């Protein structure tokens, strides 16, 4: 029986060229933000706890300014528009699985008609400081305190029915990459896939991702719809 492709596509550093949380903190964060970001990257602190603490350093009144900054600063990786259309036309299920926050993920992706396919964290600006909310926390199989738990979403897709492909760039995609059937990777995630011998292909643009998917369909006879 042929399987249906489902894509779990990361946002920061994958769809956008840079990490938006890091960009926001560099621009608006106090000096204490930098060591806190290092703690998250070196896994001394869970992503949920660290990201929550980072945004708690910023006044809610900055919201509009941050959104304007991100709209100017964030660059979408070439070929993304074509990639979204390719998936639609080929009947490939595309999900955006992001550790980012709704108030910058949705504006950047506006115009791609992906609204009901986005999984990311939430935000609350009603208090003096920004509060991050966590509508997609870890399920019973994950104890990493991810915040937005990619593996929990991936596990929701039965591997008997689905060919599960992770697209990502970083350490936050690694747990998902380990349980996926295939990985399309750049940067640190590519390096980790090599080290661990995970089935993967590297990409630089979404034109590359389209080619990889086209070849995969031919070689594995994965059903499209
Ligand atoms: Mg990323
Ligand atoms: Zn988790």
């Amino acid at each position: 029986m042929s399987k249906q492709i489902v894509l779990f596509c990361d946002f920061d550093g994958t769809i956008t060229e840079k990490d938006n949380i890091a960009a926001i903190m560099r621009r608006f964060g106090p000096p204490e933000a930098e060591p806190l970001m290092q703690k998250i990257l070196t896994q001394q602190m869970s992503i949920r706890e660290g990201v929550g603490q980072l945004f708690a350093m910023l006044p809610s009144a900055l919201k509009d300014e941050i959104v304007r900054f991100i709209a100017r600063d964030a660059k979408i990786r070439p070929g993304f528009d074509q990639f979204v259309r390719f998936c639609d036309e080929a009947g490939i299920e595309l999900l955006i699985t992001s550790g980012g926050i709704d108030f910058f993920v949705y504006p950047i992706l506006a115009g791609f008609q992906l609204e009901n396919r986005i999984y990311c964290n939430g935000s609350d600006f009603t208090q003096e400081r920004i509060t991050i909310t966590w509508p997609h926390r870890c399920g019973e199989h994950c104890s990493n305190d991810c915040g937005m738990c990619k593996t929990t979403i991936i596990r929701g897709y039965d591997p008997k029915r689905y060919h599960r492909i992770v697209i990502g760039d970083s350490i936050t995609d690694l747990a998902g990459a380990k349980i996926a059937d295939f990985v399309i990777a750049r940067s640190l995630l590519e390096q980790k896939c090599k080290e661990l011998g995970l089935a993967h292909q590297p990409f630089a643009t979404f034109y590359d991702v389209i080619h990889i998917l086209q070849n995969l369909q031919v070689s594995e006879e994965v059903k499209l719809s």
Side-chain angles (χ1 to χ4, degrees):
M1 193 181 81
S2 53
K3 296 181 185 180
Q4 194 174 327
I5 295 178
V6 56
L7 304 176
F8 304 93
C9 184
D10 174 50
F11 183 72
D12 285 81
T14 299
I15 295 174
T16 60
E17 296 203 334
K18 288 191 296 185
D19 186 290
N20 297 291
I21 294 181
I24 290 169
M25 289 305 150
R26 259 183 240 118
R27 169 70 180 77
F28 297 98
E32 304 87 87
E34 189 58 44
L36 192 51
M37 282 196 281
Q38 288 308 317
K39 271 192 172 174
I40 302 169
L41 289 173
T42 54
Q43 295 170 302
Q44 290 170 267
M45 188 182 275
S46 79
I47 298 175
R48 193 182 67 83
E49 195 180 351
V51 169
Q53 286 189 21
L54 281 172
F55 280 95
M57 292 173 172
L58 305 183
S60 295
L62 281 175
K63 182 184 179 184
D64 292 345
E65 206 182 323
I66 296 174
V67 171
R68 275 198 302 274
F69 165 73
I70 281 294
R72 271 200 316 271
D73 186 70
K75 269 183 69 186
I76 290 188
R77 193 170 297 282
F80 184 69
D81 201 358
Q82 289 81 353
F83 164 69
V84 173
R85 247 179 298 148
F86 167 79
C87 291
D88 277 346
E89 285 165 14
I92 294 175
E93 191 167 351
L94 167 63
L95 304 176
I96 312 302
T97 45
S98 167
I101 322 296
D102 58 357
F103 73 92
F104 65 78
V105 174
Y106 281 85
I108 293 172
L109 290 180
F112 292 104
Q113 287 164 343
L114 292 166
E115 283 76 8
N116 49 11
R117 292 182 270 171
I118 298 172
Y119 293 89
C120 66
N121 297 307
S123 52
D124 176 355
F125 293 88
T126 59
Q127 309 296 313
E128 197 210 328
R129 306 213 159 234
I130 301 174
T131 307
I132 304 303
T133 61
W134 314 98
H136 306 289
R137 289 175 70 156
C138 304
E140 56 173 337
H141 293 287
C142 184
S143 54
N144 291 337
D145 197 22
C146 301
M148 209 309 285
C149 188
K150 300 188 183 198
T151 55
T152 297
I153 293 168
I154 295 170
R155 281 179 202 281
Y157 286 77
D158 184 355
K160 290 194 210 79
R161 285 185 52 204
Y162 291 95
H163 193 70
R164 306 175 304 174
I165 301 177
V166 163
I167 307 172
D169 73 303
S170 182
I171 200 81
T172 54
D173 301 299
L174 186 58
K178 284 179 182 169
I179 62 168
D181 298 294
F182 192 74
V183 188
I184 301 174
R186 58 174 296 276
S187 190
L188 183 62
L189 184 65
E190 184 197 350
Q191 199 182 310
K192 289 282 170 195
C193 286
K194 264 190 206 152
E195 279 172 29
L196 297 170
L198 302 177
H200 75 286
Q201 291 238 347
F203 78 102
T205 70
F206 279 96
Y207 297 111
D208 302 334
V209 177
I210 293 172
H211 286 138
I212 293 165
L213 291 170
Q214 284 170 331
N215 291 333
L216 206 67
Q217 285 165 29
V218 175
S219 63
E220 302 200 12
E221 292 179 30
V222 185
K223 194 180 158 206
L224 290 182
S225 53

